Amino acid sequence: VVCRKLQEVLPRQQFVVVIQAKADGRIIASERIKAYRKDVLVKSGKTVGGGDISRKKKLLEAQKRGKKRQQQSGRVSLSQAAFNTVISRSS
């Protein structure tokens, strides 16, 4: 319940955010907030790659590496209003 509330309240980031609820050292609930994704296959209004697919794969792989790096060092701040909505007892 708390994870779902947090998922609704927290804004999306540039990377995937995993919300986990722990009790007695065990994870009892988990939710994910999807990442924003820029369309890296569009350069100045034109779609990249009409023929060879290797260029598309290279761009998507580079984006994947960047998102992974961001997720490792990314921080998510919880605003006071978001904290209050999660803590409040009314559903």
Side-chain angles (χ1 to χ4, degrees):
V1 177
V2 176
C3 288
R4 186 136 317 133
K5 276 187 180 180
L6 266 175
Q7 184 184 24
E8 294 169 3
V9 171
L10 286 176
R12 287 172 68 184
Q13 304 290 326
Q14 292 290 328
F15 50 91
V16 176
V17 177
V18 179
I19 304 165
Q20 295 178 335
K22 285 177 94 175
D24 294 330
R26 295 177 55 190
I27 297 171
I28 57 172
S30 179
E31 293 289 336
R32 288 175 174 259
I33 301 175
K34 286 181 158 184
Y36 281 123
R37 289 183 63 93
K38 179 182 172 187
D39 193 0
V40 294
L41 300 179
V42 175
K43 296 276 186 181
S44 63
K46 298 178 184 173
T47 306
V48 171
D52 190 19
I53 198 163
S54 63
R55 180 76 183 144
K56 283 185 183 179
K57 284 186 178 180
K58 178 183 173 187
L59 290 170
L60 291 172
E61 196 62 36
Q63 183 184 41
K64 186 177 174 182
R65 284 195 310 270
K67 295 283 183 185
K68 192 171 186 177
R69 191 169 51 241
Q70 268 187 333
Q71 189 173 10
Q72 289 174 350
S73 64
R75 289 179 167 257
V76 178
S77 60
L78 184 64
S79 68
Q80 189 67 39
F83 179 77
N84 289 338
T85 57
V86 171
I87 296 301
S88 67
R89 289 194 175 262
S90 61
S91 296

